[in-house]
Amino acid sequence: MALSVEKWVGLGSAMAGFGLLWSRMPEHVHDEARHIISSLVPMVMSYFNPYEQITISKYGEERFRRNKMFDAVSTYLTRACLDYASKLKAQLGNNNKDDPLISLDDNQEVVDYFDGAHMWWRLCPKSAKKRGDTVISLLPGDSDEPPCYRLVFHKRHRKLVLDSYLPSVVRQWHELIATNRQRQLFTNHSQEGKSVWTNVQYNPPATFDTLAMDHSKKVEIMEDLTAFRKAKEYHSKVGKAWKRGYLLHGPPGTGKSTMIGAMANFLKYDVYDLDLTSIKDNAELRKLFLDTTDKSIIVIEDIDAIEVELTTKRKGKEAPQGKDDKHVVIELSDKNIDKGKVTLSGLLSFVDGLWSACGSERIFVFTTNHVDRLDPALIRRGRMDRRIEMSYCRFEAFKMLAKIYLDITEHSLFGEIEQLLDEIDTTPADVADNLMPQGKRNGEIDRLLEEVNGASADAAGNLMLRVKRRREADDCLAGLVETLKKAKMKAATSPMDSTAQES
């Protein structure tokens, strides 16, 4: 007992001596000692802590490119662990269904089981803080950072997690998106001074079956898209990026946007509608490009409205007269030293330069109303692999529209309409507008069919439907003929009016 007391007295004396010595030391020694102690504490905690942690951030190391593993985990947890979560969030989708889309709420911790091992997951939003005494929140490092998932597991399961569990998550993610994939429409906008993508579910109604275009031309485009989709090994063999460029050109209303929707439906690709007017420089353009996914269509619409300013600067000429206001929305520059703008070289690198190889299975689509205004460097072979002219509506395209809108393949007015369409330049959009039945015609038909007597209910119903369709077709086609004749007369008198005004 006396020996124990002596030990405690000796310990107290030693501590007192150490405290006196510590107080006499210079301040910089105190700072260095505190730094050493603070660095040793996590190591000591890690040694005694039986759990390990993996962080899966939404973006890469330099927050420059989206981390696909983050998307894989998000999809997997929503499918596998939704029943075990106590905090969820819901939103209505854009898929014409009333069922809400349910997903995990921020800071929701869920437990997954794999081969008898417990896996703790938590979605930590941006600027996440420690919340609650849970397995994950007790670990060090839960401080401010971008959105991320935290996976915690026992040390003895480390090999299982790395070799089996995480690969299983990725594999199930691929299976889920292959069977339940919803196409997305992305657009870029400025947020906190930076351009970012936002998206909605995309279900375009257009298909190649409903596209008003010559049948042989549609078949040619579909065969080209199919060949591209199967050309992974070919592009690797010849050393080219797996991409393809399409230039859609033609007057407004000829179906360029409809063609993009049909391509997205045919390939089941996402669509990125790139707005260059909200991008401040080439670096931001590259950042947006790297955030796009494979199996996507990247669209720049009305490229002539942007490129007309660029073309005139390159040639040192004045801008053409009578251009639309939208032609001056953005000012592109062909000088690389102009770092505050999107340059032509930056755009070309995005389409067909070094950065185009960062990703695969992408289609670039440019649309224009005036192909002659585009810089030749932008639309040369290799950048725009195919030029598709979206022309005025001719008889073959009209028959397709008549089949879609009126469900007819022949009519007594077809011959007259064919002759007028050969003489008049009118767009498929204008023709389709004339083929849509008006409400007042439906009312007249309903009153007429109410007079049908002496027939069974089924027979009367079928008769009413047939008469209604026939009357709608007669009225719509007669209206189209009248519209085309007026357009023909206007086109014939316009040159005479111009001559009279000049004289």
Side-chain angles (χ1 to χ4, degrees):
M1 182 67 179
L3 183 62
S4 300
V5 172
E6 290 177 358
K7 288 183 177 180
W8 283 109
V9 171
L11 179 61
S13 299
M15 293 181 64
F18 178 78
L20 179 61
L21 180 63
W22 177 264
S23 63
R24 298 297 180 91
M25 288 183 179
E27 188 63 29
H28 71 274
V29 176
H30 294 178
D31 294 338
E32 292 178 1
R34 293 191 190 99
H35 176 72
I36 293 173
I37 294 173
S38 63
S39 61
L40 289 175
V41 168
M43 296 175 60
V44 174
M45 292 182 62
S46 175
Y47 179 80
F48 290 102
N49 186 1
Y51 295 98
E52 293 186 354
Q53 171 181 292
I54 294 179
T55 299
I56 302 173
S57 180
K58 187 174 183 179
Y59 295 97
E61 293 182 358
E62 298 181 355
R63 303 185 186 182
F64 195 61
R65 187 173 187 179
R66 190 179 180 93
N67 184 4
K68 294 182 180 179
M69 188 66 190
F70 182 91
D71 298 329
V73 172
S74 179
T75 303
Y76 170 79
L77 292 181
T78 300
R79 178 67 177 270
C81 300
L82 204 62
D83 295 339
Y84 305 104
S86 59
K87 293 190 299 182
L88 306 172
K89 57 184 178 182
Q91 61 180 352
L92 285 177
N94 194 31
N95 55 357
N96 298 322
K97 294 182 179 180
D98 295 330
D99 298 332
L101 302 176
I102 308 297
S103 58
L104 298 177
D105 196 6
D106 296 340
N107 281 299
Q108 170 63 60
E109 183 177 309
V110 293
V111 182
D112 193 18
Y113 301 93
F114 185 80
D115 283 356
H118 288 65
M119 309 292 175
W120 289 271
W121 286 99
R122 168 175 281 187
L123 170 60
C124 302
K126 187 176 182 180
S127 298
K129 301 290 185 181
K130 295 182 181 180
R131 299 185 183 181
D133 295 334
T134 63
V135 171
I136 294 179
S137 61
L138 289 175
L139 290 174
D142 195 8
S143 57
D144 294 357
E145 60 179 28
C148 65
Y149 280 101
R150 297 277 176 79
L151 169 62
V152 174
F153 51 91
H154 200 280
K155 287 182 177 180
R156 64 175 177 269
H157 298 139
R158 179 189 182 97
K159 184 174 178 60
L160 175 68
V161 170
L162 298 180
D163 295 347
S164 301
Y165 180 62
L166 291 181
S168 174
V169 169
V170 175
R171 184 169 57 254
Q172 293 185 58
W173 171 58
H174 284 300
E175 293 173 356
L176 288 171
I177 62 175
T179 55
N180 303 316
R181 188 173 187 270
Q182 292 287 335
R183 285 187 302 280
Q184 303 290 321
L185 173 62
F186 295 81
T187 185
N188 59 295
H189 69 97
S190 181
Q191 185 178 51
E192 298 179 355
K194 299 180 180 179
S195 286
V196 296
W197 291 112
T198 57
N199 62 290
V200 295
Q201 289 190 14
Y202 184 49
N203 297 293
T207 65
F208 279 104
D209 291 335
T210 61
L211 194 63
M213 179 184 285
D214 181 74
H215 178 72
S216 60
K217 192 173 183 179
K218 287 195 292 185
V219 171
E220 183 181 350
I221 295 171
M222 288 188 289
E223 290 177 347
D224 188 74
L225 292 172
T226 301
F228 166 78
R229 186 167 51 186
K230 299 179 179 179
K232 179 179 181 179
E233 294 182 359
Y234 170 78
H235 284 83
S236 177
K237 177 182 177 181
V238 300
K240 293 183 62 178
W242 189 10
K243 67 174 188 62
R244 194 156 181 81
Y246 290 84
L247 176 66
L248 308 182
H249 61 94
T254 52
K256 295 184 288 295
S257 297
T258 305
M259 169 65 78
I260 295 171
M263 293 170 70
N265 268 328
F266 183 76
L267 295 171
K268 294 180 173 54
Y269 283 7
D270 293 332
V271 175
Y272 288 83
D273 183 16
L274 182 62
D275 179 15
L276 290 176
T277 62
S278 64
I279 304 175
K280 62 182 180 181
D281 54 29
N282 291 337
E284 199 165 86
L285 179 64
R286 289 192 293 269
K287 170 66 168 61
L288 285 172
F289 174 66
L290 290 175
D291 273 345
T292 61
T293 60
D294 299 341
K295 297 181 182 292
S296 60
I297 301 174
I298 302 172
V299 180
I300 302 180
E301 293 193 280
D302 296 324
I303 189 66
D304 62 285
I306 301 169
E307 276 296 301
V308 66
E309 291 297 316
L310 172 62
T311 304
T312 54
K313 285 189 175 186
R314 284 170 59 90
K315 296 180 180 180
K317 299 179 181 179
E318 295 182 356
Q321 300 296 322
K323 61 177 185 261
D324 300 333
D325 291 339
K326 63 181 180 179
H327 288 128
V328 294
V329 172
I330 185 173
E331 184 181 5
L332 289 178
S333 171
D334 62 323
K335 298 179 180 179
N336 289 326
I337 60 174
D338 196 353
K339 297 182 180 180
K341 299 173 183 176
V342 177
T343 65
L344 176 61
S345 61
L347 185 60
L348 297 184
S349 179
F350 166 75
V351 176
D352 189 41
L354 293 173
W355 292 91
S356 66
C358 298
S360 62
E361 202 170 352
R362 289 186 172 99
I363 289 179
F364 294 90
V365 177
F366 289 178
T367 71
T368 178
N369 297 332
H370 307 281
V371 67
D372 56 308
R373 293 181 179 177
L374 299 183
D375 193 295
L378 186 62
I379 59 175
R380 68 163 175 80
R381 288 289 181 180
R383 291 195 174 112
M384 294 295 106
D385 301 283
R386 287 187 63 89
R387 298 187 184 185
I388 302 175
E389 182 181 4
M390 309 298 292
S391 59
Y392 292 107
C393 185
R394 302 307 177 196
F395 187 61
E396 288 298 321
F398 160 76
K399 289 195 297 183
M400 174 65 67
L401 292 173
K403 173 64 176 176
I404 296 171
Y405 284 89
L406 302 176
D407 197 25
I408 59 174
T409 56
E410 58 181 17
H411 194 276
S412 59
L413 293 176
F414 272 20
E416 186 176 3
I417 291 174
E418 180 179 9
Q419 182 178 356
L420 289 170
L421 289 176
D422 288 339
E423 300 171 352
I424 300 297
D425 289 337
T426 186
T427 65
D430 291 334
V431 173
D433 183 65
N434 282 273
L435 297 182
M436 296 182 67
Q438 303 297 320
K440 63 179 182 179
R441 294 170 183 153
N442 293 342
E444 294 174 0
I445 295 170
D446 291 339
R447 288 192 296 271
L448 175 65
L449 295 176
E450 287 176 357
E451 301 176 2
V452 176
N453 295 315
S456 64
D458 293 339
N462 293 332
L463 178 61
M464 289 174 64
L465 183 60
R466 290 174 56 190
V467 173
K468 181 177 181 178
R469 288 179 176 175
R470 185 65 183 182
R471 288 290 302 274
E472 285 178 347
D474 292 344
D475 290 348
C476 290
L477 294 178
L480 176 62
V481 169
E482 182 180 354
T483 300
L484 293 176
K485 286 181 176 179
K486 290 180 179 179
K488 181 179 179 180
M489 293 178 60
K490 183 178 180 180
T493 56
S494 293
M496 298 177 59
D497 295 341
S498 300
T499 304
Q501 291 178 2
E502 292 176 359
S503 61

